[in-house]
Amino acid sequence: MGIRVITDKCYGCKVCVPSCPFGIIEIIDKKAVIKDGCNLCGACVTACKFKAIEITRETETKIDKSLYSGVWVFAEQREGKLANVTKELLGEGRKLADELKEPLAAVLLGKGIGELAQGLIAHGADKVYLADAPELEYFLEDSYTQVIVDLVKKERPNIILLGATAIGRSLAPKVAARLETGLTADCTGLEVDVAEKNLLQTRPAFGGNLMATILCPNHRPQMATVRPKVFKPLAEDPSRTGEVITVDLAKTKWDIRAQVLEVVKETGYVVNLEEANIIVSGGRGLCDPKNFAMVEELARVLGGAVGASRAAVDAGWIPYAHQVGQTGKTVGPKIYFACGIHGAIQHLAGMSSSDIIIAINKNPDAPIFKIATYGIVGDVREVLPLLTKEFKKALGVSQEAVV
Ligand code: FAD
């Protein structure tokens, strides 16, 4: 692929110059010149009114899209427990499959996990591909990739969705590379172009300053990962019926280079932001790291988790595991308290799907108030203790410190 200026059509109008995010377009002798460093983002192509800039592509062999059908969700499980993101992806996958009029399937790998299949059907799957083998007891890239790649080659799904979890982020690129197809990571929106059977994969780009919609028009399957809590699961319907297809692993080449010797569980306090129903988050507006104690106290009173903005994390006030946002965790609690957080787009990218957002900020024009359900204008150091006191009263908790 490359980019070129069609000089006959270029009038040197300069509109393309500011459109380039990398500042590499110059007008020389009344013609646009694109210097080295272009990543083919296409911003100048869109900006040019004279269609004088084009991205050139090598002719690709056209694939026969009619050979590919079905939306698949990788059913992530650990120790026989389904990851919540699997149910969320089934909910979204159901919508896409219905629009495409294609079946929705879950792909379940593990050892002795057959009983999870009905749960996947109850959450929207029409069928479940069940690969059950001792080699699949623990997630290992080699074994999981092999089984999924073999199955994809046989069944030819149109779309595959995976959670952007530690497992999904490790598995998806390997599968995509083996299948020589594209992968869009960390999507925040998915839609389909029914006529072309293309998946429109939306995700933040350029540091979250714009949302890009990415297509994979010439390869199949179309693959995307989605962070937990971006989509909502369907209500469980235990009466739903579906087909469970046992994957024949007799001919699988188990070329496994790693071995699980021992599973060591993390001990101590584990921040589980992604699963929390209530999150109290603190930002630079707390003014001092010691004021995080106020955030923690409110979180404890409400039985919630503690979150933070990147500014607070970067300042060393709280560990990275608490960071909410584009480069932190994506959360979707019932209630999200933003305490002294400005509301930068990168922070909103990780929490704007919360059901209720309560913002405390001394600046009435802070952007966080634009998405807040309730806004309190005031000094967070005064408001937080008052709120905690009132919640303690309402919940019948002693006014002494909560442990
Ligand atoms: P500030 O922007 O400094 O805002 C502090 C707020 O507190 C202000 O609104 C102020 O009015 C208010 N305030 C000050 N004193 C008080 C007081 N006493 N009482 C009440 N209010 C007060 N950010 C994230 O959070 N998460 C991410 O994942 C993330 N990823 C990023 C990725 C990239 C590529 C980039 C470029 C940036 C990213 N950021 C992220 C950073 C983001 O752009 C902001 O810089 C950051 O969110 C700001 O944090 P803040 O709101 O705590 O701080």
Side-chain angles (χ1 to χ4, degrees), residues 139-199:
F139 168 73
L140 287 172
E141 284 171 5
D142 288 335
S143 53
Y144 273 52
T145 302
Q146 189 61 52
V147 170
I148 293 175
V149 167
D150 288 349
L151 194 60
V152 169
K153 284 184 178 165
K154 185 165 170 256
E155 302 290 337
R156 300 186 188 214
N158 183 13
I159 293 169
I160 308 180
L161 308 177
L162 301 93
T165 58
I167 289 181
R169 282 181 167 151
S170 154
L171 179 63
K174 277 205 95 176
V175 172
R178 289 264 197 101
L179 294 169
E180 295 185 357
T181 190
L183 166 69
T184 306
D186 290 355
C187 294
T188 51
L190 296 173
E191 282 177 49
V192 280
D193 170 351
V194 178
E196 291 294 324
K197 288 181 38 132
N198 283 336
L199 181 64

Side-chain angles (χ1 to χ4, degrees), residues 284 309-310 323-327 342 346-347 361 379-380:
R284 192 150 40 194
S309 72
R310 176 158 155 183
Q323 184 179 315
V324 171
Q326 188 188 318
T327 42
H342 195 59
Q346 296 89 354
H347 189 80
N361 200 299
D379 190 321
V380 69

Side-chain angles (χ1 to χ4, degrees), residues 333-357:
K334 291 199 165 60
I335 308 177
Y336 187 90
F337 289 85
C339 310
I341 292 178
H342 195 59
I345 187 164
Q346 296 89 354
H347 189 80
L348 304 188
M351 46 63 75
S352 55
S353 67
S354 308
D355 292 344
I356 296 174
I357 296 168

Side-chain angles (χ1 to χ4, degrees), residues 74-381:
F74 170 65
E76 183 172 331
Q77 58 83 23
R78 272 189 206 205
E79 296 180 341
K81 189 173 179 298
L82 278 179
N84 283 339
V85 71
T86 301
K87 299 172 191 167
E88 294 157 17
L89 290 179
L90 284 172
E92 188 65 12
R94 183 72 268 159
K95 193 187 85 190
L96 303 176
D98 288 346
E99 279 180 50
L100 288 165
K101 299 197 172 40
E102 293 179 4
L104 174 66
V107 183
L108 177 61
L109 277 63
K111 182 187 159 205
I113 33 75
E115 62 191 29
L116 297 179
Q118 181 49 39
L120 295 164
I121 292 168
H123 278 95
D126 298 313
K127 45 186 168 179
V128 177
Y129 291 102
L130 172 64
D132 197 326
E135 290 84 350
L136 299 170
E137 179 171 11
Y138 299 108
F139 168 73
L140 287 172
E141 284 171 5
D142 288 335
S143 53
Y144 273 52
T145 302
Q146 189 61 52
V147 170
I148 293 175
V149 167
D150 288 349
L151 194 60
V152 169
K153 284 184 178 165
K154 185 165 170 256
E155 302 290 337
R156 300 186 188 214
N158 183 13
I159 293 169
I160 308 180
L161 308 177
L162 301 93
T165 58
I167 289 181
R169 282 181 167 151
S170 154
L171 179 63
K174 277 205 95 176
V175 172
R178 289 264 197 101
L179 294 169
E180 295 185 357
T181 190
L183 166 69
T184 306
D186 290 355
C187 294
T188 51
L190 296 173
E191 282 177 49
V192 280
D193 170 351
V194 178
E196 291 294 324
K197 288 181 38 132
N198 283 336
L199 181 64
L200 312 181
Q201 308 159 89
T202 301
R203 56 152 298 151
F206 291 111
N209 289 317
L210 60 86
M211 300 302 281
T213 298
I214 296 165
L215 273 75
C216 177
N218 301 321
H219 297 268
R220 289 292 184 268
Q222 305 167 85
M223 293 185 60
T225 64
V226 179
R227 289 194 198 185
K229 295 278 185 186
V230 169
F231 296 125
K232 304 242 182 245
L234 296 172
E236 187 172 3
D237 177 1
S239 67
R240 274 194 98 242
T241 53
E243 192 187 355
V244 180
I245 302 158
T246 304
V247 180
D248 181 4
L249 301 170
K251 290 189 185 144
T252 305
K253 291 191 187 101
W254 297 110
D255 189 9
I256 306 174
R257 291 167 298 175
Q259 200 186 345
V260 178
L261 299 178
E262 193 187 355
V263 177
V264 182
K265 295 216 172 137
E266 202 172 349
T267 52
Y269 177 59
V270 181
V271 186
N272 198 357
L273 271 180
E274 282 152 326
E275 305 281 319
N277 279 327
I278 298 179
I279 295 175
V280 187
S281 273
R284 192 150 40 194
L286 288 171
C287 303
D288 191 301
K290 71 174 186 322
N291 292 332
F292 252 100
M294 296 178 192
V295 172
E296 281 159 15
E297 190 174 17
L298 180 58
R300 279 201 198 98
V301 169
L302 299 176
V306 174
S309 72
R310 176 158 155 183
V313 171
D314 285 351
W317 294 0
I318 185 160
Y320 169 72
H322 295 264
Q323 184 179 315
V324 171
Q326 188 188 318
T327 42
K329 301 226 160 85
T330 303
V331 298
K334 291 199 165 60
I335 308 177
Y336 187 90
F337 289 85
C339 310
I341 292 178
H342 195 59
I345 187 164
Q346 296 89 354
H347 189 80
L348 304 188
M351 46 63 75
S352 55
S353 67
S354 308
D355 292 344
I356 296 174
I357 296 168
I358 301 170
I360 310 167
N361 200 299
K362 69 176 183 186
N363 175 4
D365 297 322
I368 191 75
F369 287 132
K370 292 209 175 90
I371 63 150
T373 324
Y374 302 103
I376 304 172
V377 179
D379 190 321
V380 69
R381 294 164 297 181

Side-chain angles (χ1 to χ4, degrees), residues 60-88:
E60 299 226 33
T61 338
K62 281 247 170 200
I63 50 141
D64 182 354
K65 293 179 186 173
S66 67
L67 296 176
Y68 296 83
S69 174
V71 178
W72 282 15
V73 170
F74 170 65
E76 183 172 331
Q77 58 83 23
R78 272 189 206 205
E79 296 180 341
K81 189 173 179 298
L82 278 179
N84 283 339
V85 71
T86 301
K87 299 172 191 167
E88 294 157 17

